[in-house]
């Protein structure tokens, strides 16, 4: 029996945040109900093809999945179990917005077999939350967190975001203090990205360009302030028992997100729902991002790509190196039938001489400096741009 991961995309939210470029939008009750029905049809569509697989993680993401009624989330879980083999030890996560999770819904989710909650807080400052366009306050987050604990959840992630407009190193430290005081098992800490097509891009793009050019922006934190927040995060969380296991993710021992770790190590995963992506048996494919097409036309895939050996090697390196433990020489040999040094020898030697990667115990990993400039380092493993020895 092969293992795989399941991802279910819920493309709905109460209100689109000003920085968000995810595939999500508000929808009324009939639209949400019809989408749940269509998701169940898609699950049935894949039932036969996945008979030889067992899911060891399920991730319900969005959007904000908890804009759905609790009973509809339970229906989706029932349909998943009916159509797929789910491991009895599976990690089953639902993303939640604090403005959409009360005690009743938390109990319904837990009763449906969901055993991990990811709460999108972003900031403990109500001023910063309002600026982001979030629908909740910090006090409402505290209520949702408490209700999740009461319902039985013992594996909770909190999403945080630094380098926000007007944010200071001190206010970021206050967010870290207030969140760690709650002792969540996992914390995801990202820097704000100014994405094209969002309201934030219109407001802050010129400021971002100034920062990239080494000049002082007027609205965003300076490059020095952003760096200070970044360095504070790891040190602060390490002092409180959170180990950094991936570039932007920290966990108490035993609570690293198994779903995301599977993605970074290229496990098979099947994405269901609008715009969801998949990797099954070395083939990448996606669902349509057009709601009308998804709801009305026969299920089909876009962006189908059978990964050749070189593309698979590239992904093995630039996904696996996101993990702080890095990649295994033995795993590379086993998967590709050749030594990693025969493929990437010159690249590895150069990056090591530059202090960007380290090696120990048969593993290759990013150094602290390498993590800081990870985009540059990971790009070096694109085979068409490098001489292979």
């Amino acid at each position: 029996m092969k293992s795989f991961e399941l991802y279910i995309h819920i493309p709905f939210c109460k209100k689109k945040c000003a920085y968000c470029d995810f595939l999500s939008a508000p929808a009324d009750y009939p639209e949400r109900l019809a989408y749940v029905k269509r998701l169940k049809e898609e699950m049935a569509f894949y039932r036969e093809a996945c008979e030889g697989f067992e899911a060891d993680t399920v991730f319900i993401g969005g959007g904000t999945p908890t804009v759905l009624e609790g009973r509809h989330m339970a229906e989706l879980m029932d349909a998943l179990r009916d159509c797929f083999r789910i491991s009895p030890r599976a990690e089953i996560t639902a993303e939640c917005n604090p403005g959409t999770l009360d005690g009743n819904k938390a109990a319904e989710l837990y009763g449906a077999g969901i055993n991990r909650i990811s709460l999108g807080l972003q900031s403990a400052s109500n001023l910063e939350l309002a600026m982001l366009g979030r629908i909740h306050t910090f006090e409402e987050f505290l209520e949702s967190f408490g209700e999740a604990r009461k319902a039985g959840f013992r594996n909770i992630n909190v999403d945080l975001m630094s380098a926000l407009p007007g944010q200071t190193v001190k206010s970021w430290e206050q967010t870290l203090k207030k969140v760690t005081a709650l002792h969540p098992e996992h914390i995801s800490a990202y820097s704000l990205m100014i994405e094209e097509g969002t309201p934030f891009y219109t407001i802050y793009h010129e400021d971002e360009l100034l920062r990239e050019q080494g000049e002082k922006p007027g609205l965003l934190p300076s490059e020095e302030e952003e760096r200070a927040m970044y360095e504070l995060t790891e040190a602060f969380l390490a002092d409180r028992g959170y180990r950094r296991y991936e570039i932007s993710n920290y966990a108490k021992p035993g609570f690293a997100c198994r779903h995301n770790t599977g993605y970074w190590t290229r496990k098979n995963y099947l994405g269901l729902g609008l715009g969801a992506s998949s990797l099954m048996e070395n083939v990448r494919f996606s669902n349509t991002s057009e709601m009308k097409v998804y709801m009305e036309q026969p299920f089909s895939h876009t962006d189908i790509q059978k990964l050749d050996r070189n593309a698979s090697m590239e992904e093995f390196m630039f996904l696996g190196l996101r993990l702080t433990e890095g990649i295994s020489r033995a795993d590379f040999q086993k998967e590709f039938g050749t030594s990693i040094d025969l493929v990437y020898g010159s690249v590895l030697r150069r990056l090591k001489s530059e202090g960007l990667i380290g090696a120990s115990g048969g593993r290759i990993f990013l150094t602290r400096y390498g993590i800081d400039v990870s985009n540059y380092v990971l790009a070096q493993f694109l085979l068409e741009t490098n001489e292979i020895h």
Side-chain angles (χ1 to χ4, degrees):
M1 182 71 64
K2 297 180 180 179
S3 67
F4 79 135
E5 304 189 322
L6 284 165
Y7 174 81
I8 298 91
H9 187 65
I10 308 298
F12 306 129
C13 53
K14 280 196 170 182
K15 175 189 171 187
K16 190 83 168 178
C17 295
Y19 60 88
C20 179
D21 72 334
F22 293 157
L23 184 58
S24 62
D28 61 23
Y29 180 80
E31 290 174 300
R32 299 196 300 269
L33 191 63
Y35 185 80
V36 168
K37 180 176 182 292
R38 188 59 170 162
L39 269 176
K40 292 191 287 185
E41 293 170 351
E42 187 179 10
M43 292 175 195
F45 174 80
Y46 281 108
R47 185 202 309 260
E48 185 175 344
C50 293
E51 282 183 352
F53 292 85
E54 180 179 70
D56 51 17
T57 74
V58 176
F59 197 102
I60 307 171
T64 305
T66 44
V67 299
L68 297 180
E69 300 291 328
R71 66 180 183 276
H72 294 150
M73 294 285 281
E75 281 181 25
L76 291 177
M77 288 302 304
D78 288 342
L80 279 174
R81 293 189 183 92
D82 183 54
C83 295
F84 305 103
R85 186 187 300 271
I86 310 293
S87 168
R89 297 172 297 279
E91 173 195 270
I92 304 177
T93 302
E95 290 186 330
C96 304
N97 189 308
T100 63
L101 186 70
D102 58 18
N104 288 335
K105 188 169 290 185
E108 288 176 304
L109 298 184
Y110 191 75
I114 293 166
N115 54 34
R116 183 175 184 270
I117 288 288
S118 181
L119 282 167
L121 170 60
Q122 314 312 345
S123 171
S125 162
N126 287 336
L127 287 175
E128 291 173 0
L129 290 173
M131 175 272 304
L132 289 170
R134 302 295 288 174
I135 65 169
H136 62 86
T137 63
F138 180 63
E139 290 73 25
E140 288 171 323
F141 160 78
L142 291 175
E143 291 178 12
S144 293
F145 189 96
E147 294 296 348
R149 286 293 196 218
K150 287 179 187 177
F153 286 99
R154 297 296 176 262
N155 190 354
I156 300 179
N157 169 63
V158 179
D159 279 341
L160 300 177
M161 192 178 292
S162 63
L164 306 179
Q167 190 178 52
T168 65
V169 176
K170 184 175 181 180
S171 71
W172 173 240
E173 184 176 15
Q174 286 300 308
T175 286
L176 293 174
K177 283 183 178 179
K178 290 179 179 180
V179 170
T180 53
L182 299 170
H183 307 291
E185 287 69 31
H186 190 286
I187 293 174
S188 297
Y190 303 95
S191 290
L192 172 68
M193 303 292 291
I194 308 297
E195 302 288 0
E196 192 168 358
T198 66
F200 265 30
Y201 187 85
T202 303
I203 301 169
Y204 299 114
H205 179 55
E206 291 185 6
D207 237 27
E208 183 184 36
L209 291 177
L210 287 174
R211 184 167 63 189
E212 290 174 355
Q213 295 163 3
E215 299 180 36
K216 186 172 178 59
L219 301 170
L220 295 173
S222 67
E223 185 177 358
E224 293 76 15
E225 289 171 317
E226 184 179 21
R227 165 63 55 180
M229 292 179 201
Y230 172 82
E231 293 178 348
L232 172 65
T233 304
E234 182 176 13
F236 190 96
L237 295 180
D239 284 346
R240 285 152 181 81
Y242 294 88
R243 184 181 74 86
R244 185 185 204 177
Y245 71 94
E246 190 271 342
I247 289 175
S248 301
N249 286 278
Y250 304 79
K252 294 285 185 69
F255 288 97
C257 178
R258 287 161 48 196
H259 184 85
N260 288 340
T261 300
Y263 173 81
W264 294 314
T265 54
R266 301 183 69 248
K267 284 187 65 173
N268 285 315
Y269 65 91
L270 177 64
L272 305 172
L274 187 72
S277 298
S278 303
L279 172 66
M280 294 294 288
E281 303 295 76
N282 234 30
V283 178
R284 287 199 179 277
F285 53 92
S286 301
N287 281 351
T288 178
S289 296
E290 297 294 327
M291 181 65 85
K292 186 176 177 63
V293 173
Y294 176 76
M295 295 297 292
E296 298 178 2
Q297 295 190 12
F299 295 115
S300 62
H301 302 135
T302 62
D303 302 323
I304 302 171
Q305 179 189 10
K306 171 67 175 176
L307 298 180
D308 61 22
R309 191 163 178 267
N310 277 11
S312 297
M313 288 179 176
E314 292 170 353
E315 285 197 353
F316 183 96
M317 298 303 291
F318 61 66
L319 289 176
L321 283 171
R322 288 189 61 90
L323 296 167
T324 55
E325 69 175 11
I327 55 96
S328 162
R329 290 178 178 274
D331 287 348
F332 189 96
Q333 177 80 41
K334 180 180 179 180
E335 184 159 347
F336 301 112
T338 188
S339 164
I340 194 171
D341 293 297
L342 290 176
V343 180
Y344 286 116
S346 63
V347 177
L348 293 173
R349 289 190 292 272
R350 174 167 55 82
L351 292 175
K352 189 172 184 180
S353 71
E354 294 173 356
L356 297 169
I357 63 170
S360 177
R363 304 193 72 87
I364 298 166
F365 47 85
L366 297 180
T367 62
R368 186 181 182 87
Y369 176 40
I371 291 174
D372 291 349
V373 292
S374 59
N375 288 342
Y376 164 77
V377 177
L378 300 180
Q380 306 311 301
F381 294 98
L382 293 172
L383 290 173
E384 64 267 25
T385 65
N386 291 294
E387 180 182 358
I388 305 173
H389 297 287

